[in-house]
Amino acid sequence: MIKISKSRAGTQRVTFSLPAGAPPGRVSVVGSFNDWTPGRHHLTPRSNGRRSASVDVAPGTVLEFRYLGENGLWFDDPDLPDRADGNCVCATS
């Protein structure tokens, strides 16, 4: 699940969220906002039972991203439509 909200200094906060155990183990979100560097944005457990990580971006930014789980498991956001190139895309407004 992706949530976009206003942040400070004219940016927008994009929060990436997954259920606690799907998939099991450590997961990070990797994409255009962090130069596709694994491990920079690990999803951390929240009190609501989900895991999430947030990034601040400029309004109008188009984000390409995927999730990276343990043992090299790459996967797309289950709440966004599949794309032929394997990347999920989210445009902030």
Side-chain angles (χ1 to χ4, degrees), residues 42-76:
H42 285 285
L43 277 67
T44 56
R46 304 296 178 205
S47 61
N48 65 2
R50 296 183 68 84
R51 298 177 286 180
S52 67
S54 297
V55 298
D56 291 332
V57 298
T61 300
V62 174
L63 300 175
E64 292 183 302
F65 71 95
R66 296 192 79 199
Y67 295 103
L68 178 59
E70 291 186 359
N71 300 316
L73 172 68
W74 287 95
F75 62 100
D76 297 321

Side-chain angles (χ1 to χ4, degrees), residues 5-87:
S5 57
K6 290 183 181 180
S7 186
R8 55 189 154 84
T11 62
Q12 292 192 311
R13 175 155 291 191
V14 180
T15 301
F16 303 90
S17 174
L18 292 173
R26 197 156 195 185
V27 175
S28 63
V29 61
V30 183
S32 56
F33 54 88
N34 64 12
D35 294 324
W36 294 94
T37 305
R40 288 184 68 189
H41 293 94
H42 285 285
L43 277 67
T44 56
R46 304 296 178 205
S47 61
N48 65 2
R50 296 183 68 84
R51 298 177 286 180
S52 67
S54 297
V55 298
D56 291 332
V57 298
T61 300
V62 174
L63 300 175
E64 292 183 302
F65 71 95
R66 296 192 79 199
Y67 295 103
L68 178 59
E70 291 186 359
N71 300 316
L73 172 68
W74 287 95
F75 62 100
D76 297 321
D77 193 294
D79 295 328
L80 294 176
D82 291 335
R83 291 181 42 97
D85 62 8
N87 294 317

